[in-house]
Amino acid sequence: MLLRQLEPRTARTTAEVIKFALWPLAVMTVLNRVFIKAVNGFITDDFKPVYNASLAFLNHRPVYTANYDLVDPHYLYPPSGTLLIAPLALIDPEKSRWCFILLNAAAIILAWYLLLKLFKFTLSSMAAPILLLAMFSSETVINTLVFTNVNGCVLLAEVAFMMLLLARRDLWAGAILGLSIAVKPTLAPLVLIAAARGQWKVFYTAIGVPLALTAIAWPLAADPDKFFTRTARYLSDPRDYFNSAIVGNAAYYGLPLWLTWGIRILMGVLVLISLWLLYRYYRDDELFFVATASGVLMTALFLLNSLGQMYYSMMLFPLLMSVVLRNSVMRNWPAWLAVFGFMSYDKWLSDRWQGLGRNVEYLRITFGWGLLLIVIACVLGDRYLAARREGRLQFGIDPEWMRSPESPDAVVAAPYRVAADSGAHADTADDSVVNGRETEQSELRAEPQPSAVK
């Protein structure tokens, strides 16, 4: 069956043209990123301190000994995370790094597959190569692999958590989230989504798993208390290098404290407005609510916290993927201008315009995160004001064309996907639509209504 799928043949539909063109590009891009760029590495090496800490842990030597006055990558994981990653030091550093690269690459690819399933796509859809190529062309995936960071595993935990949460598998969802928090607490704000949905059992395992791992790691580590007395304090202090959070760039450019706090408070208010509107009007639209709320929470964390780095943006893939939903907040050009700021691998440093190029390069991530939060708040706020003006708040804030199953948008603007039970091919993509509706035998079909996704 696989060999038959690989048999060269001439595309007969627009969907096949796109798939035949993008699959080779996507596969070769993945191979290049994993086996060439990642193995080659870079001057920034996030893996070295992780390996040294794992080796120290296994030999019962102090782990939290970094000199935080230096700008080199430091080991910042808690004792529970040290326990989980300690097996990395059982083999030599080079092979261990290769294994860690492969682990994160596999996690990203599995997250890609789960994202397709989450949004009701199949591997035979156009979305599959488009998403895979986009992910492995982004700065966040490239530098996660090149720097050899754990972010790929965190992304997989995020997507798995969302799927289990939507399936009402609360204890398993909390366990996945707890494992992620045990290593890196990036996803901790997602427990708010479980709380908003009344899925309180998530908290049992989301809190219990890292506590249990910490209890196990504590007697095995030489200096576990130093994480809380030394490393945690370093993490809470904003630094003015390799930090794209508001406080990081404010410190770098010397902004006054009142202005820094003013910007943070303003952005925080926009976040609260977005979360309230999502909670009030979209809780029953489960996939949209979870994907959008997670994106708002993650972006707010990166922008408003003491430390935000560009490759953290990997956690925003579910939000970006929500563009396939008809009521997505991502269906406008300012949203994708923001995405370019924090996802693009392009460098804006210029030999000719050094000052301008340096400022654009340093600020584009911060502006990208900020613009994304502004766009989401404006989209949701505009829908709310329009619904209130038209007296239809009791029916939700989506305009009628978003809710109508007969909307032309379902055929024209929605992403095409290959029907799982379709064996026949249409001669053209246009032949699959009759009087604004798609035929049952069509290779292409429109997205499901957001309210139908449970």
Side-chain angles (χ1 to χ4, degrees):
M1 181 62 70
L2 177 61
L3 293 178
R4 188 168 184 177
Q5 291 291 327
L6 295 177
E7 177 185 352
R9 61 181 186 273
T10 301
R12 300 175 62 186
T13 68
T14 303
E16 285 191 338
V17 170
I18 294 173
K19 289 187 291 182
F20 290 174
L22 291 187
W23 266 119
L25 299 179
V27 170
M28 297 308 295
T29 298
V30 171
L31 294 176
N32 173 266
R33 301 304 188 248
V34 175
F35 295 105
I36 304 301
K37 292 191 74 70
V39 173
N40 287 348
F42 190 66
I43 189 172
T44 301
D45 185 1
D46 289 348
F47 183 75
K48 183 177 180 180
V50 170
Y51 185 88
N52 290 339
S54 300
L55 190 62
F57 178 83
L58 292 179
N59 289 279
H60 203 67
R61 298 198 306 264
V63 171
Y64 302 102
T65 59
N67 181 358
Y68 296 132
D69 293 329
L70 303 178
V71 299
D72 297 328
H74 304 302
Y75 182 74
L76 305 174
Y77 299 159
S80 55
T82 308
L83 175 68
L84 292 176
I85 65 174
L88 288 171
L90 293 176
I91 56 178
D92 67 86
E94 184 179 45
K95 291 184 177 62
S96 180
R97 180 175 177 270
W98 292 353
C99 290
F100 203 54
I101 290 171
L102 290 175
L103 174 64
N104 277 276
I108 294 168
I109 292 172
L110 183 54
W112 158 78
Y113 174 71
L114 293 180
L115 270 176
L116 291 175
K117 290 194 65 176
L118 185 65
F119 287 91
K120 310 302 180 186
F121 287 101
T122 66
L123 290 177
S124 57
S125 67
M126 288 194 301
I130 292 173
L131 179 60
L132 187 63
L133 179 61
M135 290 175 72
F136 278 83
S137 298
S138 66
E139 185 277 346
T140 180
V141 169
I142 294 173
N143 280 345
T144 288
L145 296 175
V146 172
F147 298 165
T148 321
N149 197 281
V150 75
N151 289 336
C153 297
V154 179
L155 172 65
L156 176 59
E158 180 188 26
V159 179
F161 167 76
M162 293 171 65
M163 293 192 73
L164 291 168
L165 194 72
L166 290 169
R168 301 281 172 176
R169 305 284 295 276
D170 295 358
L171 293 177
W172 281 109
I176 293 294
L177 191 62
L179 281 173
S180 172
I181 293 172
V183 178
K184 197 172 184 177
T186 304
L187 301 182
L190 297 187
V191 297
L192 295 176
I193 297 177
R197 290 166 53 85
Q199 294 175 254
W200 300 106
K201 289 183 180 179
V202 168
F203 286 79
Y204 299 164
T205 44
I207 297 173
V209 167
L211 287 180
L213 290 171
T214 300
I216 296 171
W218 200 273
L220 302 176
D223 59 343
D225 58 304
K226 289 293 193 297
F227 173 80
F228 299 97
T229 61
R230 191 166 180 269
T231 304
R233 189 188 313 160
Y234 167 76
L235 287 171
S236 64
D237 291 334
R239 66 194 197 196
D240 60 359
Y241 61 93
F242 303 140
N243 188 1
S244 295
I246 289 174
V247 291
N249 268 321
Y252 179 81
Y253 286 99
L255 268 62
L257 188 61
W258 67 266
L259 181 57
T260 303
W261 274 103
I263 297 173
R264 295 176 81 184
I265 291 171
L266 177 61
M267 297 306 300
V269 169
L270 291 179
V271 169
L272 292 177
I273 291 172
S274 297
L275 291 175
W276 181 82
L277 290 172
L278 287 168
Y279 175 79
R280 177 69 178 81
Y281 295 103
Y282 288 102
R283 272 178 298 163
D284 294 333
D285 189 352
E286 294 188 307
L287 180 57
F288 173 82
F289 174 74
V290 171
T292 308
S294 67
V296 172
L297 288 170
M298 289 293 95
T299 309
L301 177 70
F302 307 152
L303 187 66
L304 304 180
N305 204 12
S306 59
L307 177 63
Q309 295 184 311
M310 190 175 181
Y311 59 5
Y312 294 174
S313 302
M314 185 181 294
M315 310 314 148
L316 301 183
F317 280 134
L319 172 65
L320 306 190
M321 189 65 181
S322 74
V323 71
V324 304
L325 303 177
R326 194 186 308 179
N327 58 348
S328 172
V329 296
M330 298 300 297
R331 289 194 168 191
N332 56 81
W333 68 261
W336 292 96
L337 177 62
V339 171
F340 180 85
F342 56 75
M343 281 287 183
S344 171
Y345 193 59
D346 295 339
K347 300 297 181 186
W348 287 80
L349 298 175
S350 170
D351 293 334
R352 178 62 181 84
W353 299 284
Q354 295 183 9
L356 176 62
R358 183 170 58 252
N359 290 335
V360 172
E361 176 65 19
Y362 291 173
L363 292 172
R364 67 187 178 97
I365 306 103
T366 311
F367 284 173
W369 289 334
L371 178 58
L372 183 62
L373 291 177
I374 292 171
V375 167
I376 293 173
C378 287
V379 169
L380 295 175
D382 179 67
R383 291 179 188 176
Y384 170 79
L385 293 174
R388 189 177 69 172
R389 186 169 58 249
E390 297 168 9
R392 51 179 175 82
L393 283 177
Q394 66 271 30
F395 304 112
I397 62 175
D398 281 345
E400 181 63 29
W401 66 267
M402 288 185 184
R403 300 194 302 267
S404 172
E406 301 300 328
S407 168
D409 182 76
V411 175
V412 178
Y416 297 130
R417 45 187 93 169
V418 178
D421 57 349
S422 175
H425 297 289
D427 287 338
T428 67
D430 293 336
D431 289 340
S432 65
V433 181
V434 179
N435 295 328
R437 301 171 183 262
E438 294 173 315
T439 63
E440 293 181 355
Q441 292 77 24
S442 170
E443 180 190 22
L444 311 177
R445 64 185 179 192
E447 62 191 293
Q449 293 298 304
S451 59
V453 180
K454 299 294 183 186

